């Protein structure tokens, strides 16, 4: 049984929550139209990323019963799909988190993951999460793991999600464009490929396009197979794009590598702990 | 201060120790001629890889005072360079190990690392090592880490070498050729790139070319910078090749990523241990 997975690489506008909500709803509709059963949206998809200051971030952050999650839940239910989306979240205690929500095909909010590794000036705005990557079973789809952007750079974190049985790791990201040598893939994409391969799982990372207050986004969304090869997103794009890939998530339950190896049981936990 | 690093991607002949020794000596001479101060040779460079049986492996394995290490030490001393080479090693207790030796510019054997993660039928022949990756300071060069081939697939192991201060990770490898999509780099190279980037260190992986008893080698040797981009070995080659890269190892002591981040201190050791 295969699952159609989509990354909706959209352009967002920092500060314009209504426009962002409309953009993400349209993107989910389009992904559903293309047959997607799992859809990933970018990091901070309700708010945009480059806040003028902490006050702007606070004004844009929403509780879990706010307009963004409410609309995304309705969209997931309407199409009967699983949605992973980045959310500027205001917690019950008033603290802000760079979160990702996982909503199931019934529209139920099944996980709220708060980014544990904060990048750049996020540290001035958000409180990092203290919980492991979210890993949720979705019946007739598979086991979905969730983390956010810079989290992917920490192999310990990715391994934790993989050891918890993640078959498809969904990561909302906002990758600022860094210079790279001619002909090279963005370094962030290479790391996604490696994360997939060493853990033999699928990874779907959904980036953004466009510019925001002097930051250009890489447009590097990618969906990789358990060998680490891209199924979609072979090259970055400056344009909004709907990436679609057909994934057999059962493949990611098999950690065998050839006739003699297994990337999990070959780990020398006697030498570096579980 | 920069260091010229070389990978000598040679063709070896399983079972022909004399030919292999001559090939590796010539390769070290050529690397020295090209200005290399650090030279990496492939895995099992004395013996070849695809043994007919354990008996052949035992006959080819050498002690640390055998012909291969003796000749490599002489070559390192003659040229005043650091040499990392894969060795089929027979230990004092008669056990065989898939090892890598690190020889300094004075010709001194500074480290013997025994591969901890064994691949394929290696398990029928070799006893895995129980010691961490070797990490050795070479004056006026820098801190060199050593591991072998499949070890690179285990992010915990690479992290261990990195946290021990490795500036240049030298990895003798023998990568069997696996199918890959058109236009894609070998998955093993992608993982080397990611290992370099997430730890902000240089990595030099030295592969082989040619065929051996039905196995084709990938010829995927690569030297990457701390951003994970190749400095040499952008594409695999079917031919013997001397890869040369100029590396500023001091760069690998700086784990900063932009103005606000540090890939080591950003680790959430409170959530996944040191």
């Amino acid at each position: 049984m295969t699952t159609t997975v989509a990354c909706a690489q959209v352009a967002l506008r920092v500060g314009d929550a209504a426009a962002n909500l409309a953009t993400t709803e349209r993107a989910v509709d389009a992904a559903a139209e293309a047959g997607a059963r799992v859809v990933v949206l970018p990091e901070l998809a309700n708010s945009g990323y480059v806040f003028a200051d902490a006050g702007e971030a606070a004004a844009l952050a929403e509780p879990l019963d706010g307009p963004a999650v409410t609309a995304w839940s309705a969209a997931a239910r309407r199409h009967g799909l699983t949605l992973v989306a980045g959310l500027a979240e205001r917690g019950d205690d008033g603290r802000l988190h760079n979160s990702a929500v996982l909503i199931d095909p019934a529209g139920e909010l099944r996980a709220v993951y708060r980014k544990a590794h904060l990048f750049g000036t996020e540290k001035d705005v958000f409180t990092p999460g203290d919980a492991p990557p979210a890993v949720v079973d979705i019946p007739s789809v598979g086991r979905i793991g969730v983390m956010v952007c810079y989290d992917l750079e920490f192999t310990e974190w990715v391994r934790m999600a993989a050891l918890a049985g993640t078959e498809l790791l969904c990561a909302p990201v906002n990758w600022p464009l860094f210079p790279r040598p001619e002909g090279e893939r963005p370094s962030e994409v290479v790391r996604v490929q490696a994360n997939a391969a060493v853990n033999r799982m699928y990874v779907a990372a959904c980036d953004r396009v466009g510019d925001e207050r002097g930051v250009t986004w890489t447009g590097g969304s990618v969906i990789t197979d358990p060998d680490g090869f891209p199924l979609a997103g072979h090259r970055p794009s400056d344009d909004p794009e709907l990436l679609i890939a057909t994934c057999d998530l059962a493949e990611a339950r098999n950690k065998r590598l050839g006739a003699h190896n297994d990337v999990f049981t070959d780990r020398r936990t006697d030498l570096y702990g579980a």
Side-chain angles (χ1 to χ4, degrees), chain A:
Chain A
M1 194 193 65
T2 59
T3 300
T4 303
V5 176
C7 287
Q9 177 172 283
V10 293
L12 302 169
R13 291 191 213 162
V14 65
D16 191 342
N20 293 337
L21 196 48
T23 296
T24 56
E25 285 186 290
R26 274 196 307 271
V28 175
D29 290 347
E33 181 76 21
R37 311 316 304 150
V38 179
V39 180
V40 190
L41 291 170
E43 183 178 6
L44 298 177
N46 60 323
S47 60
Y49 184 96
V50 185
F51 305 114
D53 51 38
E56 185 185 46
L60 289 166
E62 301 180 26
L64 296 173
D65 60 358
V69 176
T70 301
W72 293 336
S73 292
R77 189 172 55 247
R78 181 165 70 248
H79 298 299
L81 53 75
T82 300
L83 181 59
V84 176
L87 177 78
E89 181 202 357
R90 187 169 60 249
D92 291 339
D93 58 3
R95 291 188 190 180
L96 308 190
H97 304 279
N98 184 338
S99 298
V101 294
L102 187 155
I103 299 164
D104 73 12
E108 295 295 320
L109 178 63
R110 295 285 301 280
V112 182
Y113 167 78
R114 292 167 169 175
K115 187 176 184 179
H117 303 84
L118 297 180
F119 189 77
T121 54
E122 292 173 31
K123 295 174 185 183
D124 302 335
V125 172
F126 294 114
T127 301
D130 288 328
V135 179
V136 175
D137 276 318
I138 304 291
S140 79
V141 173
R143 193 169 284 196
I144 312 285
V146 178
M147 63 182 62
V148 178
C149 205
Y150 190 45
D151 286 327
L152 290 168
E153 315 282 308
F154 297 88
T155 52
E156 298 90 344
W157 207 237
V158 177
R159 186 71 103 186
M160 198 181 295
L163 291 174
T166 295
E167 295 159 13
L168 169 63
L169 180 62
C170 295
V173 308
N174 276 190
W175 286 330
L177 184 63
F178 286 105
R180 61 181 189 266
E182 179 74 24
E184 291 295 325
R185 283 204 176 115
S187 186
E188 295 86 352
V189 174
V190 169
R191 294 193 285 269
V192 164
Q193 292 184 256
N195 281 329
V198 298
N199 293 294
R200 300 206 60 74
M201 63 183 176
Y202 292 88
V203 183
C206 187
D207 194 16
R208 291 170 59 187
V209 293
D211 298 277
E212 195 176 83
R213 293 175 175 160
V215 174
T216 299
W217 304 107
T218 300
S221 302
V222 66
I223 304 172
T224 62
D225 70 16
D227 290 322
F229 294 119
L231 297 170
H234 294 77
R235 291 285 169 264
S237 167
D238 294 335
D239 297 312
E241 198 173 334
L242 179 67
L243 280 70
I244 294 276
T246 302
C247 304
D248 179 358
L249 297 197
E251 284 289 312
R253 290 197 288 275
N254 176 9
K255 304 302 178 184
R256 303 289 303 172
L257 188 66
H260 303 277
N261 290 90
D262 179 302
V263 298
F264 276 9
T265 61
D266 285 343
R267 294 170 69 235
R268 293 294 304 272
T269 53
D270 55 325
L271 302 178
Y272 41 78

